[in-house]
């Protein structure tokens, strides 16, 4: 509804009276419902973004492996979910999170690029459009639908110079040789940077803001490496205990980071383009 605020949206979508509201940012608010329950209310600028996030949260929850906020309601503009009480991560909880993440990936997806059930093909990663086109061959799919679309846009925007693009294009051509052993499609969070991992009052990890789709499990782990994660070594310890990664996976981290780095180049500029180019050159040297 035009002019509707987060409190009114929460009341309408949950069917419960609202007793309080606190703005967190331009697009996010905490709303207290009658009875004291606090929910997060997020405004989306594009209907596809809200629909994709709601479907992604439900798909992750359906795996029964990781903690995600419950969805209480959504429409083309608003999403209402549980609030995660804030806490501090611990080393033991990080190991458990690693095991849970491995189980999430193992729950699988119908194909690379498969959207969550009920989710749109035209989804988002952060504020950038992300098209969920399916494929059976990961190297080809990753190049065509995750790396090259953002490279083309970055070149069109002038963030990556036309003379620099071949460095990334050559990596895409070599992906069948660089990708390592074939893996089945994993159920990915899809935007697993540190800010989308919350730790509750008991120190347990919760995942928010997914760009969920079927993909390669090493991509989620590469995202965690990109901006750091508390106790990342312990997260990886738990992951490896539950589902050992294929030999040589650390050498492929930069390869899997090409996608998020180019997304960030499109959204935030030249610094990320330079990091993407450095990752491509390092991958070409292997």
């Amino acid at each position: 509804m035009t002019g509707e605020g987060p409190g009114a949206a929460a009341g309408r979508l949950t069917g419960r009276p609202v007793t309080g509201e606190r703005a967190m940012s331009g697009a996010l608010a905490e709303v207290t419902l009658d009875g004291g329950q606090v929910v997060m209310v997020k405004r989306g600028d594009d209907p596809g973004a809200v629909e994709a996030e709601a479907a992604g949260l439900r798909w992750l929850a359906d795996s029964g492996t990781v903690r995600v906020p419950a969805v209480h309601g959504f429409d083309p503009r608003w999403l209402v979910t549980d609030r995660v009480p804030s806490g501090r991560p611990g080393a033991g909880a990080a190991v458990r999170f690693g095991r849970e993440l491995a189980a999430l990936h193992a729950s699988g997806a119908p194909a690379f690029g498969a959207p969550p059930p009920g989710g749109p093909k035209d989804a988002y990663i952060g504020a950038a459009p992300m098209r969920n086109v399916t494929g059976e061959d990961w190297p080809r799919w990753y190049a065509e639908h995750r790396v090259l679309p953002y490279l083309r846009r970055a070149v069109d925007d002038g963030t990556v110079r036309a003379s620099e693009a071949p460095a990334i294009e050559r990596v895409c051509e070599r992906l069948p040789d660089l990708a390592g052993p074939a893996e089945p499609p994993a159920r990915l969070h899809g935007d697993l940077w540190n800010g989308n991992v919350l730790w509750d009052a008991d120190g347990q990890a919760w995942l928010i803001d997914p760009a969920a789709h079927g993909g390669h499990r090493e991509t989620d782990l590469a995202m965690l490496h990109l901006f750091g994660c508390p106790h990342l070594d312990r997260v990886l310890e738990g992951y490896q205990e539950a589902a050992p990664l294929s030999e040589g996976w650390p050498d492929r981290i930069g390869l899997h980071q090409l996608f998020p780095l180019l997304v960030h180049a499109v959204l935030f500029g030249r610094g990320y383009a330079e990091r993407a180019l450095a990752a491509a050159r390092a991958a070409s040297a292997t």
Side-chain angles (χ1 to χ4, degrees), residues 88-154:
R88 291 174 176 267
V95 173
R96 287 193 295 274
F97 171 44
R99 296 186 188 122
E100 293 160 358
L101 185 60
L104 171 67
H105 292 162
S107 65
F112 298 111
K121 177 180 287 188
D122 292 311
Y124 281 78
I125 177 167
M130 183 186 78
R131 199 142 200 272
N132 283 320
V133 179
T134 60
E136 300 301 322
D137 177 68
W138 183 81
R140 179 180 297 175
W141 171 84
Y142 183 65
E144 292 182 1
H145 301 295
R146 288 297 179 265
V147 176
L148 292 177
Y150 300 97
L151 175 61
R152 294 184 190 111
R153 180 168 167 184

Side-chain angles (χ1 to χ4, degrees), residues 161-229:
R161 302 180 186 100
S163 61
E164 296 171 325
I168 295 173
E169 292 168 343
R170 283 193 292 271
V171 172
C172 289
E173 292 169 1
R174 292 189 58 207
L175 269 170
D177 297 324
L178 298 174
E183 295 256 357
R187 188 173 307 194
L188 298 190
H189 175 281
D191 192 10
L192 197 61
W193 71 286
N194 180 45
N196 287 341
V197 182
L198 303 184
W199 303 86
D200 68 16
D202 296 323
Q204 304 295 320
W206 291 68
L207 304 185
I208 63 168
D209 296 350
H213 62 279
H216 196 301
R217 61 184 180 141
E218 290 178 15
T219 302
D220 264 356
L221 297 175
M223 278 262 204
L224 284 179
H225 281 84
L226 188 56
F227 297 109
C229 175

Side-chain angles (χ1 to χ4, degrees), residues 41-95:
V41 183
K42 184 176 181 180
R43 187 184 74 242
D45 294 326
D46 187 284
V50 178
E51 183 183 3
E53 184 171 344
L57 286 169
R58 287 174 170 161
W59 195 39
L60 301 187
D62 286 347
S63 72
T65 60
V66 292
R67 297 167 189 83
V68 297
V71 175
H72 294 291
F74 71 97
D75 64 13
R77 181 172 172 80
W78 298 100
L79 174 67
V80 182
T81 66
D82 278 340
R83 181 189 64 165
V84 179
S86 181
R88 291 174 176 267
V95 173

